Amino acid sequence: MNDHNAFITAEPIEPTDDGPLSGQTVAVKDNISTAGVRTTCGSEMLSDYVPPYDATVVERLKEAGATIVGKTNMDEFGMGTTTETSAFGPTENPAAEGRVPGGSSGGSAAAVAAGDADLALGSDTGGSVRCPAAFCGVVGIKPTYGLVSRYGLVAYANSLEQIGPLAPTVEGAAELLDVIAGPDPNDATTHDPPENAEYAAAATGDVDGMTVGVPPELLEGADEAVRDSFDATIEQLRAAGATVETVSLPSVETAVQAYYVIAMSEASSNLARFDGVRYGISGGEGNWNESFASAREEGFGAEVKRRILLGTYALSAGYHDKYYKKAQDARAWVKQDFDEAFESVDVLASPTMPVPPFERGETLDDPLQMYLADANTVPVNLANLPAISVPATETDEGPVGVQFVGPAFGEEAIVRAGSVLA
Amino acid sequence: MTVDDAEVEHVASLARIDLDEEEIELFAAQFADILEYFEALDDVPEVDPDAELANVMRPDEVREGLTQEEALSNAPETEDGYFKGPRVS
């Protein structure tokens, strides 16, 4: 079942009850804790780490009758857009040979695309569910911040990330969201969903009367083939009765910068726990400074080191106001822009990624080029909003997706919009 | 924007990550590009964040947690039921 290296550990976990997912198989990203089954985060640091407890979403899957088929490959600690930074080797894209599956939840998307699992869970800090969904031709949802518990998710940038579902269809992804959504006493940032919210039931394919906003800023950098595919999608929505309007979001011009400053800063703090004492690789002899520094040199890959160092730099004396504080302003500006946009439209639409799947190895030597590809996904995380990626017309270079963004806790609207297409 | 090797080494020591010579040189070049890209944040207007956040409280009651054995199960080194860390100095 592991033809595409989609799984790091292919060890089944049985359900504890019958429920809406009985008979269904689910692949779980390897940064989501599974009691008794190793959880590596795609890192050498945690190659032997076996959590003593389940993440809340894993408990909910088991109670809903799902069989977990394995733990999926990912960019190390979620830091990447290609699943090539994994310490366990890259994942192949089952839908585009020789190209990356996207990241960081590339194993989850590839498992669904290859039919190795009916459904999958990923995590999305700046696009890590939606990007691989787009590149592998499946559906992925990034829920509103606070809709899904992060208890048991190994933190990368905790103010931005959410666990989200992947599936072949919008209805399938929404059904999985129905199972994992809802408050959790172990995650104080969780929130009650809107009353009577039923996400799978919202996949009606009916967009008659819906207003879809298109921000030109999210089309500017897109490849021609991606734009053609997106235009075809917009025509489909119009034909189904939706009204399409142009809506400007000037703040997204600095969203990628703000995202990387905030994510790297939070990562530098969150990953400080990996010192080789309670878990992970031991740094061996020497005083504690030497031992920790040696454990972290050995345990972390290049992209993780890069982000921890840049985050440390951005928070260090003399630079905090220039980088971190300005990034928080940029984040508040993005949120304000989206709030204003949703006064006149029901959902916003854009290409999920500005490019088709990269060729393998294309971005490994140029991290900045990889960061720039996140232009359309990171604004959503900065604004804490829900978004879905749905397959659009395929390009010659592989699958691409269309992204619908909704207002906070407006998952039903994006499910409805997406269900016209898949 | 230029970043020299000494700056990379300083930040790496703050973050407690040893780097080899090759990594230091590579990171200095890449950080210069990335930090130059971040310069665009200088032009962002000051924006008041939304004040719609509320504290979430719970009663301070004893609850079940990990057992000592579970808590120690992933530690590279333990002694007498404790984590064993490196010497302090």
Side-chain angles (χ1 to χ4, degrees), chain A residues 149-209:
Chain A
S149 168
R150 290 177 293 107
Y151 181 69
L153 170 69
V154 180
Y156 150 32
N158 47 294
S159 84
L160 296 161
E161 55 210 4
Q162 276 284 288
I163 292 171
L166 296 109
T169 64
V170 171
E171 191 180 6
E175 193 184 7
L176 183 48
L177 183 61
D178 279 317
V179 167
I180 60 172
D184 174 16
N186 284 324
D187 177 356
T189 63
T190 51
H191 198 286
D192 277 310
E195 225 174 304
N196 303 321
E198 287 184 55
Y199 303 121
T204 56
D206 180 11
V207 293
D208 197 22

Side-chain angles (χ1 to χ4, degrees), chain B residues 23-39:
Chain B
E23 276 175 314
I24 293 169
E25 266 176 50
L26 179 68
F27 283 173
Q30 291 174 338
F31 288 4
D33 283 348
I34 295 167
L35 292 171
E36 187 174 305
Y37 176 65
F38 288 167
E39 290 288 312

Side-chain angles (χ1 to χ4, degrees), chain A residues 211-220 230 234 238 243-253 334-350 405:
Chain A
T211 310
V212 179
V214 176
E217 294 87 353
L218 299 183
L219 289 172
E220 272 167 19
F230 180 71
I234 291 297
R238 274 209 185 95
T243 309
V244 180
E245 282 178 16
T246 298
V247 182
S248 183
L249 295 175
S251 65
V252 302
E253 303 291 352
V334 168
K335 193 166 184 308
Q336 211 174 61
D337 256 3
F338 275 109
D339 285 348
E340 280 172 27
F342 288 121
E343 284 171 16
S344 59
V345 301
D346 297 311
V347 298
L348 293 162
S350 76
V405 185

